[in-house]
């Protein structure tokens, strides 16, 4: 098949191709891009880990702000991308063009606001994020550089999601992975060859993100996606409500993830730099393992959006269950491997006995509940893509916000450091229960919607028949 397709050809592919092969076609590029992106996040931790424990902890402390930048990018990217896929499914191309432009330029503006506010309040921000006196100098140096890239980092995520939601995952993969590979190459060069230390890791990140941004801009054009034009910006209530509705779950998920990481750093603070570094390393390891799941789900989302917009409800359900079954089996295997190799995995990033001891226990706890995430993530992606904002936002808030943050506040009082190490597993288990309840409600609503659509189609056919015999 050609690398570029017309909108009609894309519509036919998304609504008629067999589900397993379609999701495989779309998911393989997104899985690759997610794995490589997560790998370069781990590479940052690995190379900075050669500097020292405090520097390693500083990358973990800085992560919540990175999550805020990502949250804003996903807010605009998922908000516009979800709606674009549904509009293309219902063949409303003009509206899709307005959503593409509005989402892109919103992201640039929000990223610029983060840059200005972050640099003005840099030191207080680093302290709020959980820096100790020994970690603070590293955090200030790292974040002071990262903040400079916020405008195009947010916009890059919008481009990535808009391309992906239009069924062009290969171009999305090329843009993201190019920057990630460049980041992995630049990290050791800047940190060790140019002797820039943790500042070198930050410069490597913003330079590689800019390269991804440029390549995704080019990808929009050559993949024949909806063009982004300044004149198509529509800051009216209808367009903004669509973006907010589609992006709110991502904003809550990523934003609460940022707050959760800050809470984690603060909870680990009394136990020293080794505890903060260990929990940061465990977060990166589980993020890498989960990135394949996210990539697989991203292959599901455009299928869900197109078919829901085209009123092909059976294909939506089929796609969901296909993804749940495959992801659950793979996550179970990863959980077993992670539990068996937990000490070795943590030791790769920091050869510190205390860091390894704390991280090993935390990673084993997270492996206990890791398999549940296939059900949680796929349902969340389905609800968000379908525009079920309330349910999707509740579910997006549950894992990191409703359960993980309270667990971090309650469990350490009862179990000390062990409470911090088990908090994520407890949160995942509770989120699984909430997800199941919400799934039942959403499926009930979809069946009612499907029945109403069948009745409407039947009435329309009767009307046409009556007119034909008059």
């Amino acid at each position: 098949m050609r690398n570029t397709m017309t909108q009609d050809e894309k519509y036919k592919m998304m609504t008629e191709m067999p589900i397993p092969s379609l999701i495989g076609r779309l998911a393989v590029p997104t899985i690759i891009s997610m794995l490589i992106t997560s790998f370069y996040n781990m590479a940052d931790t690995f190379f900075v880990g050669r500097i020292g424990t405090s520097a390693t902890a500083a990358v973990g402390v800085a992560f919540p702000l990175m999550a805020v930048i990502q949250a804003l990018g996903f807010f605009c990217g998922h908000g516009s991308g979800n709606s674009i896929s549904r509009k293309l499914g219902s063949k409303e191309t003009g509206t899709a063009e307005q959503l593409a432009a509005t989402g892109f330029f919103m992201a640039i503006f929000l990223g610029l606001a983060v840059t200005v506010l972050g640099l003005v309040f840099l030191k207080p921000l680093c302290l709020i994020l959980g820096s100790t006196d020994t970690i603070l100098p590293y955090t200030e140096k790292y974040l002071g550089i990262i903040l400079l890239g916020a405008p195009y980092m947010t916009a890059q995520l919008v481009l990535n999601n808009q391309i992906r939601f239009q069924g062009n995952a290969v171009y999305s993969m090329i843009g993201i992975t190019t920057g990630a590979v460049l980041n992995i190459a630049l990290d050791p060069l800047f940190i060790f060859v140019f002797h820039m230390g943790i500042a070198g890791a930050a410069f490597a990140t913003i330079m590689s993100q800019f390269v991804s941004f440029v390549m995704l801009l080019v990808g929009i054009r050559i993949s024949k996606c909806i063009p982004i034009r300044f004149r198509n910006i529509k800051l009216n209530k209808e367009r903004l409500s669509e973006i907010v509705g589609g992006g709110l779950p991502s904003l809550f998920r990523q934003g609460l993830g940022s707050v959760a990481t800050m809470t984690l750093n603060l909870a680990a603070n009394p136990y020293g730099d080794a505890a903060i570094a260990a929990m940061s390393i465990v977060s990166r390891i589980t993020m890498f393992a989960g990135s394949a799941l996210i990539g697989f789900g991203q292959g599901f989302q455009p299928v869900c959006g197109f078919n829901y917009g085209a009123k092909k409800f059976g294909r939506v359900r089929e796609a969901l269950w296909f993804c749940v079954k495959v992801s659950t089996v793979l996550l179970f295997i990863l959980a077993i491997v992670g539990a068996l190799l937990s000490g070795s995995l943590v030791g790769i990033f920091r050869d510190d006995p205390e860091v390894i001891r704390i991280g090993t226990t935390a990673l084993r706890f997270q492996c206990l509940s890791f398999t549940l995430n296939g059900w949680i993530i796929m349902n969340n992606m389905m609800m968000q893509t379908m525009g079920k904002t309330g349910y999707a936002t509740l579910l997006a808030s549950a894992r990191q916000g409703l359960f993980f943050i309270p667990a971090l506040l309650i469990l350490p009082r009862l179990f000390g450091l062990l409470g911090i190490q088990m908090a994520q597993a407890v949160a995942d288990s509770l989120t699984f229960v909430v997800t199941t309840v919400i799934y039942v409600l959403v499926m009930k609503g979809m069946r009612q919607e499907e029945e109403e659509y069948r009745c409407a189609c039947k009435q329309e056919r009767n009307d046409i028949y009556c007119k034909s015999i008059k």
Side-chain angles (χ1 to χ4, degrees):
M1 188 175 288
R2 304 190 313 272
N3 288 331
T4 56
M5 294 183 289
T6 65
Q7 291 299 331
D8 287 340
E9 289 172 328
K10 288 178 187 175
Y11 178 88
K12 185 175 181 179
M13 178 187 78
M14 300 297 282
T15 57
E16 296 181 14
M17 182 181 284
I19 290 295
S21 56
L22 176 59
I23 290 180
R25 174 192 174 100
L26 297 175
V28 168
T30 56
I31 290 172
I32 292 171
S33 62
M34 285 300 299
L35 284 172
I36 293 178
T37 299
S38 184
F39 183 74
Y40 97 71
N41 284 330
M42 293 173 68
D44 260 4
T45 304
F46 174 80
F47 289 118
V48 172
R50 309 281 79 78
I51 300 172
T53 298
S54 294
T56 305
V59 175
V61 167
F63 184 75
L65 184 67
M66 299 282 285
V68 168
I69 294 172
Q70 291 177 347
L72 295 173
F74 282 127
F75 171 66
C76 298
H78 283 160
S80 57
N82 283 315
S83 297
I84 286 171
S85 68
R86 293 197 303 273
K87 297 303 178 184
L88 292 177
S90 56
K91 299 189 176 182
E92 299 176 53
T93 306
T95 303
E97 291 181 352
Q98 294 175 3
L99 288 162
T102 306
F104 175 77
F105 288 104
M106 273 181 64
I108 291 179
F109 173 79
L110 291 172
L112 186 60
V114 169
T115 297
V116 174
L117 292 173
L119 291 176
V120 170
F121 300 104
L122 182 58
K123 185 171 182 178
L125 176 63
C126 293
L127 292 172
I128 292 171
L129 291 173
S131 293
T132 63
D133 290 339
T134 51
I135 295 172
L136 181 61
Y138 294 101
T139 311
E140 284 187 294
K141 194 174 294 184
Y142 186 78
L143 279 185
I145 297 167
I146 290 293
L147 284 164
L148 298 175
Y152 59 79
M153 288 165 73
T154 53
Q156 176 225 134
L157 290 168
V158 174
L159 294 172
N160 175 36
N161 282 287
Q162 289 186 359
I163 292 173
R164 181 173 59 80
F165 272 105
Q166 293 176 63
N168 292 288
V170 171
Y171 293 98
S172 171
M173 177 193 71
I174 292 171
I176 293 296
T177 55
T178 300
V181 171
L182 180 62
N183 197 141
I184 294 168
L186 292 179
D187 263 339
L189 180 66
F190 287 175
I191 294 172
F192 305 117
V193 178
F194 295 160
H195 305 290
M196 296 173 68
I198 196 169
F203 273 116
T205 296
I206 64 170
M207 289 177 64
S208 61
Q209 294 279 330
F210 182 74
V211 170
S212 287
F213 171 71
V214 173
M215 293 200 65
L216 287 167
L217 273 177
V218 175
I220 286 281
R221 176 178 291 273
I222 63 177
S223 64
K224 294 186 178 179
C225 282
I226 296 295
I228 296 176
R229 299 188 178 101
F230 189 79
R231 67 172 182 267
N232 286 332
I233 296 176
K234 295 294 179 183
L235 298 176
N236 54 35
K237 182 179 179 181
E238 186 177 3
R239 295 290 86 82
L240 291 176
S241 64
E242 286 183 274
I243 292 175
V244 171
L248 202 59
S250 295
L251 184 63
F252 271 76
R253 181 169 51 248
Q254 295 291 130
L256 285 171
S258 175
V259 176
T261 305
M262 287 194 310
T263 308
L264 176 61
N265 292 333
L266 292 170
N269 194 300
Y271 302 96
D273 291 2
I276 297 175
M279 298 310 297
S280 172
I281 289 170
V282 170
S283 296
R284 294 302 173 98
I285 292 171
T286 54
M287 187 183 302
F288 178 74
S291 62
L293 170 65
I294 300 296
F296 190 52
Q298 288 177 345
F300 159 67
Q301 282 184 296
V303 178
C304 176
F306 263 82
N307 286 282
Y308 187 71
K311 307 298 183 184
K312 294 180 178 289
F313 303 104
R315 282 175 65 84
V316 174
R317 288 191 291 269
E318 181 187 353
L320 171 69
W321 279 105
F322 171 76
C323 290
V324 168
K325 291 173 185 176
V326 173
S327 61
T328 299
V329 171
L330 294 177
L331 289 177
F332 179 75
I333 295 170
L334 288 175
I336 295 297
V337 173
L340 293 174
L341 302 179
S342 54
S344 300
L345 292 172
V346 176
I348 291 173
F349 297 93
R350 184 63 190 157
D351 188 16
D352 182 325
E354 186 66 4
V355 171
I356 294 173
R357 182 185 69 81
I358 295 171
T360 297
T361 302
L363 183 55
R364 284 175 177 168
F365 267 113
Q366 292 199 27
C367 287
L368 290 175
S369 62
F370 196 57
T371 306
L372 305 178
N373 285 306
W375 175 248
I376 294 168
I377 295 298
M378 294 305 163
N379 271 280
N380 198 352
M381 288 184 164
M382 177 188 71
M383 294 166 198
Q384 184 175 0
T385 306
M386 288 166 54
K388 307 295 183 183
T389 305
Y391 288 132
T393 302
L394 175 60
L395 189 50
S397 306
R399 184 171 184 260
Q400 297 293 79
L402 297 181
F403 297 126
F404 185 51
I405 293 174
L408 287 171
L409 297 175
I410 296 170
L411 294 178
R413 296 176 183 272
L414 302 174
F415 305 104
L417 179 59
L418 184 64
I420 297 173
Q421 293 166 314
M422 68 168 66
Q424 187 67 73
V426 171
D428 288 348
S429 300
L430 293 172
T431 304
F432 177 82
V433 176
V434 172
T435 302
T436 303
V437 173
I438 294 176
Y439 166 80
V440 172
L441 296 173
V442 169
M443 285 298 107
K444 182 179 178 180
M446 184 188 288
R447 290 189 183 93
Q448 291 176 347
E449 192 174 349
E450 186 174 14
E451 185 60 32
E452 290 171 1
Y453 178 67
R454 285 176 178 170
C455 291
C457 290
K458 184 177 180 180
Q459 183 61 49
E460 184 178 355
R461 286 194 297 269
N462 289 339
D463 291 344
I464 293 172
Y465 174 75
C466 291
K467 288 180 181 178
S468 67
I469 63 175
K470 284 184 180 179

